[in-house]
Amino acid sequence: MNETSAPTIPEQVMPSPFRLIATLGLIAMLSGFVIVLVYQITAEPIARNQREALERAVFTVLPGAESRALFRADETGITLLTDEELAQANVFAGYDNQGQLVGVALTGSARGYGGEVRVLYGYDPAAEKIIGYTVLQSSETPGLGDKIEDDPNFLANFEALEVSLDPETGEVAQPIVTVKEGAKTEPWEIDGISGATVSSEAVGRALRESTLEWLPRVVSHLDVFKQAAGEDH
Amino acid sequence: MAADPRQPKPLTRQTLTEGLWKENPVFVMLLGLCPALAVSNTAINALAMGLASTFVLLGSSLLISLLRNFIPKQVRIASYIIIIATFVTAVDYIIHALSLELYNALGAFIQLIVVNCAILGRAEAFASKNPVRHSLVNGFGMGAGFTLALVMVGAVREILGFGSLFGVALFGEQFQTWAVFILPPGGFFVLSFWLVLFAVVAKRRAAKEVAHGS
């Protein structure tokens, strides 16, 4: 009972529990208000930034493409999406100025040294080659692992990386594999970066897994992509 | 009844400058070392991190100082954390909206400003006991000191590790970059180098003051 009159600082009267809860509640409400306000203001620019980054990336990995269309590929097949449905798109098709299919862009991801590495690559079904590549997201070590984004020798791998499909089974004939720097002998091998082995292998794994899973489906529905050129313009 | 009985100290130059030198959060108090080591690999990242932390410091100092007589002592830490986390979330959205590139470079460290003890330290040691004006000035000084420290570490690491400063190449093609300085160990090397320098200068100053006093 006389604990409250303990000889500490006299003004420190224990506030009622209700007062404590009310304080925290009010501060949390204030916090919620501020966060929602900032979210509302920034949501539009953030979405626009990401859209622009993705658009830029699609045209980077499909050299020669002038326009693009969005698709969603899943178990049931491939469907054309409108621009508003960008968030659900996982396959992008690029067309040249005559409306001819240049290639399709797909994403792949794998665990690198510093976290997830997400890449976008362009695939030319006629040549059966990967014709472009860019890193969408990575947290690889600056100066070492992040060479997967801009090292010219490494990027040269993806100007024409063979991913051919077996004509009988429709599956990928030779899965992509990363080899040591300078050890590339086959057209489906990626010349790695010495000093960034884990990161360059992550890129190889991301491409290998994505091509194994998606290319057979994409190639068997190639007419869907070719048709979309006329509809979307 | 909860009002501060003491008269607030007058607003002096000390309020602003103590964060820059005498109580520099990184070099003297050794607070907030996690971002100071992690995102100081280039001067640009260090500057962005410093400015983001300064924004959080100013915002939280303002709000905590405004609410200082309203928040009971028993729930103060919880309240401060909520307030700081609010501003961190806001700055996270703002940087994301301003530049995707910068956002990706800073990675998880924007969110981790929440646990930067330099900020919670200011809330507990200053903003909760001083009027708004003092808290803002002091928070600004601390933020500037933190930014300065980060840029000093970041500039050295970038010059040695990339051969550039703020992205501008300083040396010719033949410059052999020193990769260890952009890796985590390099952060420790550079930070310790600055710490030694700061300690030596501070010691000399103190010795001089003693000599003058006697």
Side-chain angles (χ1 to χ4, degrees):
Chain A
M1 298 301 137
N2 52 6
E3 276 160 16
T4 46
S5 60
T8 50
I9 309 158
E11 67 197 56
Q12 297 286 324
V13 183
M14 174 74 187
S16 74
F18 177 74
R19 168 81 208 283
L20 300 182
I21 292 170
T23 308
L24 282 177
L26 273 173
I27 289 176
M29 259 173 68
L30 190 69
S31 154
F33 181 76
V34 172
I35 290 177
V36 171
L37 187 75
V38 176
Y39 175 78
Q40 295 277 355
I41 296 170
T42 55
E44 216 275 313
I46 290 176
R48 193 177 57 229
N49 276 353
Q50 273 171 334
R51 207 159 51 227
E52 281 170 4
L54 189 62
E55 299 262 298
R56 264 199 312 276
V58 168
F59 289 114
T60 312
V61 300
L62 295 172
E66 300 271 315
S67 61
R68 58 110 187 91
L70 309 171
F71 296 88
R72 170 152 195 93
D74 50 31
E75 290 73 26
T76 55
I78 291 173
T79 41
L80 179 65
L81 303 178
T82 62
D83 280 2
E84 286 74 45
E85 296 168 307
L86 178 77
Q88 291 141 41
N90 56 7
V91 186
F92 310 87
Y95 307 93
D96 64 13
N97 49 14
Q98 269 120 46
Q100 293 296 311
L101 183 70
V102 173
V104 290
L106 295 143
T107 58
S109 77
R111 208 182 149 70
Y113 188 82
E116 194 195 14
V117 177
R118 274 186 68 220
V119 302
L120 185 80
Y121 62 94
Y123 181 74
D124 179 354
E128 299 201 312
K129 281 184 170 68
I130 285 178
I131 52 173
Y133 146 95
T134 188
V135 176
L136 292 179
Q137 182 200 322
S138 87
S139 35
E140 299 306 280
T141 317
L144 293 173
D146 72 349
K147 283 186 187 162
I148 57 169
E149 293 172 31
D150 48 22
D151 185 80
N153 294 333
F154 187 67
L155 294 185
N157 283 308
F158 309 102
E159 282 162 14
L161 183 66
E162 186 181 299
V163 194
S164 50
L165 297 185
D166 190 305
E168 279 171 28
T169 59
E171 297 295 320
V172 173
Q174 291 291 346
I176 294 168
V177 63
T178 307
V179 296
K180 273 191 191 156
E181 185 166 2
K184 175 178 167 127
T185 51
E186 304 288 349
W188 57 83
E189 286 176 348
I190 300 175
D191 213 352
I193 307 170
S194 66
T197 315
V198 177
S199 305
S200 44
E201 276 175 1
V203 171
R205 205 161 55 245
L207 292 178
R208 179 169 66 241
E209 282 166 10
S210 173
T211 48
L212 284 177
E213 184 179 356
W214 294 107
L215 283 192
R217 273 186 244 188
V218 165
V219 171
S220 60
H221 293 86
L222 219 49
D223 47 330
V224 180
F225 297 107
K226 286 181 177 158
Q227 270 169 21
E231 294 166 20
D232 206 46
H233 284 203
Chain B
M1 57 173 179
D4 198 323
R6 290 164 299 173
Q7 279 294 309
K9 281 183 229 154
L11 193 61
T12 61
R13 235 171 76 201
Q14 191 81 33
T15 320
L16 177 68
T17 55
E18 69 172 12
L20 284 173
W21 172 259
K22 218 177 105 230
E23 286 183 24
N24 185 294
V26 177
F27 290 147
V28 178
M29 298 201 289
L30 301 186
L31 294 177
L33 289 188
C34 167
L37 289 165
V39 281
S40 62
N41 47 13
T42 68
I44 286 278
N45 287 357
L47 184 67
M49 186 67 198
L51 292 180
S53 304
T54 305
F55 173 84
V56 174
L57 201 47
L58 281 175
S60 59
S61 287
L62 171 75
L63 212 57
I64 289 167
S65 181
L66 276 174
L67 297 172
R68 70 186 186 282
N69 294 332
F70 167 75
I71 299 174
K73 186 170 152 283
Q74 289 79 0
V75 292
R76 70 188 194 286
I77 301 289
S79 310
Y80 300 162
I81 290 286
I82 298 174
I83 291 170
I84 293 168
T86 306
F87 284 100
V88 171
T89 312
V91 87
D92 183 67
Y93 284 137
I94 292 169
I95 292 182
H96 203 164
L98 288 179
S99 161
L100 201 58
E101 202 179 311
L102 187 61
Y103 185 76
N104 288 338
L106 295 180
F109 293 100
I110 304 175
Q111 286 95 321
L112 284 178
I113 297 174
V114 175
V115 288
N116 186 328
C117 36
I119 294 172
L120 189 62
R122 270 307 92 184
E124 172 75 3
F126 202 96
S128 61
K129 300 189 180 92
N130 287 281
V132 174
R133 212 152 42 102
H134 294 56
S135 303
L136 279 178
V137 169
N138 185 263
F140 181 78
M142 279 288 161
F146 185 70
T147 309
L148 185 75
L150 251 68
V151 172
M152 279 160 79
V153 175
V156 173
R157 292 180 69 185
E158 189 179 347
I159 291 170
L160 296 176
F162 286 106
S164 63
L165 186 61
F166 286 104
V168 182
L170 294 178
F171 311 106
E173 275 289 302
Q174 76 282 5
F175 181 74
Q176 184 63 45
T177 56
W178 220 344
V180 69
F181 279 101
I182 38 181
L183 296 177
F188 285 95
F189 291 148
V190 176
L191 182 69
S192 52
F193 161 76
W194 282 119
L195 287 178
V196 168
L197 201 74
F198 253 65
V200 167
V201 173
K203 212 172 181 182
R204 289 230 175 122
R205 260 197 188 185
K208 219 180 250 175
E209 266 165 34
V210 169
H212 273 278
S214 61

